Amino acid sequence: MSRRGRFITLEGGEGVGKSTNLSLVADHLEARGLEVVRTREPGGTPRAEAMRRLLLDPFGEEPLDPDAELLLIFAARAQHLARVIRPALERGAWVVCDRFTDATYAYQGGGRGIDRARIAELETFVQQGLEPDLTLLLDMPMAGSQQRLEGRLDREGGRRDRFEGERAEFFEAVRRAYLAQAASAPERMTVVDAAVGLEEVQAQLRRLLDRKLAEWT
Ligand SMILES: Nc1ncnc2c1ncn2[C@@H]1O[C@H](COP(=O)(O)OP(=O)(O)OP(=O)(O)O)[C@@H](O)[C@H]1O
Ligand SMILES: Cc1cn([C@H]2C[C@H](O)[C@@H](COP(=O)(O)O)O2)c(=O)[nH]c1=O
């Protein structure tokens, strides 16, 4: 594949502010005249969004086997890559995506305890070398992000999905795995302090993006 656009992902635990800041990142790039595709995982196409519902809906009491969860995530990713991400990058658009494979290492690896090597095999098979150019990891202690999540659910009248309903230890393991991912890929991943007010988070993101844009042009 000949790639001309850039691929940027936002990562982090539940309620850290990924969706809120995805708009800031995409707007910042569009203001510089770039075509931007805003998308998310799992999901991003109608069929991949159907797989997202299978993953997030608790479906009564039937547990979802961790291997089935992992395979569904990569099935949705394959569809998303084929239908949205690769075509966009090939035509020169920039893709800004809410979560990608770092989430798999964090949730299925850290949270569910699946061996990294198995995740890496699927990553190679599905992505064939494609990985983000830049990953912004929004990080904050779990208690604060759970409070933000609660606030949003209260305002919107929503219920916790299958992941949001997990125990505190699960989210602590997810956070540790995300930070380990960032430490292992310092060129690509940047940790952003998400515990501060929105204006400060967004100032950090603007500075980072401007630095990267200067480096890439
Ligand atoms: N820096 C911030 N300070 C205070 N509140 C914030 C900040 N960033 C986001 N919020 C609020 O926290 C809540 C969660 O934010 P958001 O939905 O963007 O998080 P998320 O990481 O996308 O969540 P999820 O993982 O559930 O998709 C929202 O109500 C949002 O307005
Ligand atoms: C990509 C990806 C996602 N997940 C989980 C993490 C979240 O709980 C949900 C997505 O919902 P959100 O609105 O983005 O919070 O899916 C996962 O477990 N593994 C993955 O690879």
Side-chain angles (χ1 to χ4, degrees):
M1 176 188 84
S2 72
R3 275 175 65 183
R4 292 185 298 125
R6 297 274 179 183
F7 182 22
I8 298 177
T9 56
L10 279 97
E11 295 282 0
E14 312 289 323
V16 294
K18 295 176 301 299
S19 321
T20 307
N21 290 300
L22 186 133
S23 302
L24 177 275
V25 170
D27 291 349
H28 197 73
L29 299 172
E30 279 172 354
R32 276 145 188 79
L34 297 163
E35 181 197 345
V36 177
V37 172
R38 302 166 192 234
T39 188
R40 70 171 180 183
E41 288 219 345
T45 84
R47 216 175 272 283
E49 288 288 330
M51 296 183 212
R52 178 187 174 94
R53 288 192 287 280
L54 286 176
L55 282 157
L56 267 57
D57 194 311
F59 280 104
E61 294 306 312
E62 182 190 351
L64 181 58
D65 179 77
D67 286 349
E69 179 179 289
L70 178 68
L71 291 168
L72 257 178
I73 283 166
F74 271 106
R77 183 160 298 140
Q79 184 72 4
H80 190 205
L81 279 163
R83 306 285 306 174
V84 174
I85 298 178
R86 287 187 196 279
L89 295 175
E90 280 166 15
R91 71 170 184 270
W94 288 43
V95 175
V96 184
C97 189
D98 188 339
R99 299 191 188 278
F100 195 62
T101 306
D102 293 304
T104 315
Y105 283 103
Y107 282 77
Q108 282 62 53
R112 304 277 186 237
I114 294 179
D115 190 358
R116 280 186 65 83
R118 287 173 74 193
I119 299 175
E121 273 179 42
L122 290 168
E123 179 182 23
T124 303
F125 173 61
V126 167
Q127 292 168 225
Q128 294 166 35
L130 178 71
E131 64 166 32
D133 296 288
L134 172 66
T135 297
L136 303 163
L137 171 58
L138 301 182
D139 177 64
M140 65 186 288
M142 197 204 74
S145 57
Q146 287 290 311
Q147 249 177 19
R148 286 186 190 170
L149 178 63
E150 277 302 328
R152 196 191 66 200
L153 292 172
D154 279 352
R155 277 194 305 283
E156 295 173 0
R159 286 180 35 219
R160 284 180 177 251
D161 65 35
R162 202 173 58 83
F163 289 102
E164 289 165 350
E166 284 290 344
R167 300 176 323 278
E169 304 86 76
F170 179 87
F171 297 118
E172 297 290 7
V174 166
R175 184 178 182 213
R176 280 195 302 276
Y178 263 134
L179 290 171
Q181 274 294 99
S184 72
E187 286 294 303
R188 173 176 66 82
M189 290 183 81
T190 301
V191 181
V192 175
D193 178 8
V196 293
L198 189 55
E199 277 189 20
E200 176 52 26
V201 174
Q202 301 205 326
Q204 292 181 66
L205 291 173
R206 281 193 204 92
R207 277 196 299 274
L208 265 162
L209 284 173
D210 287 340
R211 224 173 34 234
K212 275 289 167 188
L213 283 163
E215 193 183 306
W216 286 337
T217 49

